[in-house]
Amino acid sequence: HKITSSCKHEATLSSTNQKAACSRSPGTMPGPYRETDLTEKVEAFLSDLKRGGSGTGPLRGSAETARETTALLRRITAQVRWSSAGDLMEVIRKEGRRMSAAQPSETTVGNMIRRVLKIIREEYARSRGSSEEADQQESLHKLLTSGGLSEENFRQYFTALKANVIEAINELLTELEGTTDNIAMQALEHIHSNEVIMTIGRSRTVEAFLKDAARKRKFHVIVAECAPFCQGHEMATSLSKDGIETTVITDAAIFAVMSRVNKVIIGTQTVLANGGLRAVNGTHTLALAAKHHSTPLIVCAPMFKLSPQFPNEEDTFHKFVSPHEVLPFTEGEILSKVNVHCPVFDYVPPELITLFISNIGGHAPSYIYRLMSELYHPEDHEL
Amino acid sequence: MKQMVRSFLTYSRKAPLTQQLSIPSAVIHPAIVRLGLQYSQGIVAGSNARSIALLHAFKQVISDYTTPSNEELSRDLVNKLKPYISFLNQCRPLSASMGNAIKYIKKEISNIPSQFKEDDAKKKLLNCIECFIEEKIVLAAKAIAKSSIEKINDGDVILVYGCSSLVNHILCEAFEKGRKFRVIVVDSRPRLEGREALRRLVQKGISCTYVLISAVSYILPEVSKVFLGAHALLANGYVMSRVGTSQIALVAKAFNVPVLVCCETYKFCERVQTDSFVSNELDDPDDLIVTRKGETQLKDWQQVPRLGLLNLVYDVTPPDFVDLVITDLGMIPCTSVPVVLRVKNVDLL
């Protein structure tokens, strides 16, 4: 049965599903969807992303976002009608653009979409029988010798392609589920007894990392509270419940206390393509203080946080939330005469970072470009 | 580390002050008792304010003083002041400026010739104290403002931290003289003193921006100069100031923004210190607790055995972060502090 894409024709078909499809909001893509609850799921995810970003909705960790995005992409692959890899990639790209636009600062969504696109390319290449090396990243030599290699338009149809892609996405999901544990397993190599470790704000990855090390070692953790949201307080209560000696300090005391610290371990929101970080505000100060005291700065970041963005885009890098967190409305008289800023993120340049610990091991910041070329295809950097 | 933090944790403002002290407050002059309470409750805060309040209280003490028979005023008065000073120290540790003021008063008292009559001696001492306040604090502020205005150009974006009476004075003077600039006030928890500075500047009509200290690396690319106040200047060139000042200087250095510290010479001190941990003042750790969205995370932190809160008051800024110190004797680099101290000591002799 052919399913046409206009709402008018759908009304004449006997399938009851189509009636509900006519009442879609104007923003949705009229595509060859077989099930409308897929559209509902996509819409629900999009509105969740929008709400979660403003700070009022339930705060979801990046790992959850990554898992939900991947699960949604798997659903789209399974349920949407597509005949060739090119069609599927088009569909995923379109949905991906909408998802990234819903919450631009949540880069894990875009990263997962690019991973899935890379999976599709690889599976297509495998089905075609071409060897792995032929589709490897374009080196300068290849660009000169092969000429128009990227004539690839992915139009060939393979019966097993759908199953292969879904299986590969399942592997990706398993990998995502194990990231925090993989990172935590490396904790004992980096922390020894009687160390003083400093961290800022709340990162679930760092929490798991420290708790794993605490099973066998005794050390002290200093948590900078990270105003105005003060997520450091939650981190401190959680760590102290697990038996780790914790002290909470204010953001202003970071440099004062740094002379007593052996290591700084932080999480991040995104790892940028040059090896820099987009992390919670206050991290740049922490990194500078650590550099001044020659204290190593270790970043615990799973691979799904690696994003092909560069920090050049002035307008899109920073995200702001309501300034009433900084200067509350009770200060009424001066509010109208004063500008108040409340940025959420900070840029940390790669020179200040000593080590990245990810689920596939430890790397120097200078190696990030290589990891990126393994995870994403260069043509997918712009969705 | 743990022991250090735990040993500090005895400070708390909740218990009534007079019950915690070893000296019975009955033998202390009421003006001093009131002053001690004002210090410990934070009603009088800021090094200039505290010094001026101290000197006024001492004026009161001196006018109420009568020399007992068989005693000399110059020796007895100094002995009378000792318990008052330790009382004040227990209420809140003395600042460097207060220490210098007390040294000056003690020296003046011991220099009173024995043939002076009591009334004349008291008049002379009161006069000395007035002179000290007038010269070292009020006129010094005017001199510093005059030098600083040369450093403020039209179109400047000036960053200040917390509430320093001297820096606010400078900015208001510069604004009155017609300089066009705007100010960025950086503030930090838990004291949030920057809001007071913000109110004063906005009242004058200066256009201001307000951020918290964690946003300082976002806002620094816009800034052309940083003006900081100081609590004391140590003999090795380190600047002791409100906690967070060293961080601002650090980030400003990374962005190549000049850092100017404004400090009167009476705050110069002969101590040396290299980091903020060896000697510092601790504030009430309960101030760190905050309630957000109805939840107070650290509510019962004292019951949790492994959780500690640290609320430092001061920190020291290394001299390589500071580009210039503006004092009433002129503009000097940080490393010239011992030179000034030596010159001052020669003068006093």
Side-chain angles (χ1 to χ4, degrees), chain B residues 104 125-137:
Chain B
Y104 173 78
L125 285 173
L126 293 177
N127 207 17
C128 282
I129 294 182
E130 285 287 314
C131 271
F132 186 85
I133 296 181
E134 186 60 30
E135 268 174 50
K136 304 279 184 203
I137 304 181

Side-chain angles (χ1 to χ4, degrees), chain B residues 222-277:
Chain B
E222 296 177 16
V223 174
S224 56
K225 291 189 181 68
V226 177
F227 272 78
L228 298 171
H231 172 84
L233 240 58
L234 305 176
N236 58 341
Y238 279 63
V239 178
M240 182 180 213
S241 184
R242 184 68 79 222
V243 68
T245 313
S246 53
Q247 237 166 269
I248 303 237
L250 168 79
V251 187
K253 188 88 186 171
F255 281 88
N256 266 324
V257 174
V259 174
L260 290 84
V261 171
C262 307
C263 185
E264 300 95 333
T265 46
Y266 88 102
K267 289 182 186 162
F268 285 20
C269 146
E270 269 146 16
R271 278 183 40 226
V272 287
Q273 201 174 319
T274 49
D275 69 24
S276 326
F277 245 99

Side-chain angles (χ1 to χ4, degrees), chain A residues 104-123:
Chain A
S105 67
E106 191 61 62
T107 43
T108 37
V109 174
N111 296 345
M112 286 297 104
I113 290 162
R114 293 180 185 99
R115 288 289 288 271
V116 170
L117 287 171
K118 175 112 199 233
I119 285 174
I120 297 171
R121 283 174 201 267
E122 279 176 358
E123 291 301 325

Side-chain angles (χ1 to χ4, degrees), chain B residues 34-212:
Chain B
R34 186 177 62 207
L35 187 65
L37 274 169
Q38 284 174 334
Y39 281 167
S40 71
Q41 298 292 323
I43 299 173
V44 174
S47 48
N48 278 348
R50 282 164 70 189
S51 308
I52 295 179
L54 176 75
L55 290 168
H56 282 308
F58 274 3
K59 269 170 50 179
Q60 189 82 15
V61 168
I62 291 175
S63 9
D64 293 343
Y65 172 76
T66 40
T67 328
S69 45
N70 306 346
E71 292 287 344
E72 273 207 30
L73 181 130
S74 54
R75 253 167 275 159
D76 187 57
L77 186 51
V78 177
N79 288 339
K80 275 273 171 8
L81 289 181
K82 281 203 185 96
Y84 297 170
I85 294 168
S86 28
F87 171 80
L88 289 175
N89 204 15
Q90 282 185 13
C91 297
R92 188 175 165 190
L94 293 181
S95 65
S97 49
M98 286 163 68
N100 286 348
I102 290 173
K103 243 192 267 180
Y104 173 78
I105 293 182
K106 281 191 180 164
K107 194 188 68 67
E108 286 299 313
I109 295 176
S110 6
N111 284 351
I112 299 269
S114 39
Q115 59 267 39
F116 263 43
K117 287 220 297 277
E118 187 172 312
D119 286 331
D120 291 336
K122 289 212 269 194
K123 226 185 297 178
K124 180 164 185 290
L125 285 173
L126 293 177
N127 207 17
C128 282
I129 294 182
E130 285 287 314
C131 271
F132 186 85
I133 296 181
E134 186 60 30
E135 268 174 50
K136 304 279 184 203
I137 304 181
V138 179
L139 283 178
K142 289 212 178 92
I144 294 177
K146 220 167 86 155
S147 329
S148 315
I149 286 177
E150 298 165 29
K151 293 290 173 200
I152 300 180
N153 307 317
D154 282 343
D156 261 347
V157 179
I158 298 180
L159 186 131
V160 299
Y161 176 62
C163 185
S164 164
S165 48
L166 188 54
V167 174
N168 290 344
H169 178 80
I170 292 172
L171 293 176
C172 295
E173 286 274 325
F175 190 71
E176 268 169 35
K177 291 245 165 42
R179 292 276 198 274
K180 307 252 175 308
F181 57 91
R182 66 183 179 91
V183 175
I184 298 180
V185 179
V186 178
D187 204 5
S188 74
R189 283 193 70 236
R191 285 175 170 237
L192 293 172
E193 290 169 333
R195 290 194 190 164
E196 182 55 41
L198 192 65
R199 272 179 225 121
R200 290 188 205 169
L201 295 173
V202 167
Q203 226 172 20
K204 271 278 176 177
I206 304 177
S207 73
C208 297
T209 307
Y210 179 78
V211 288
L212 285 182

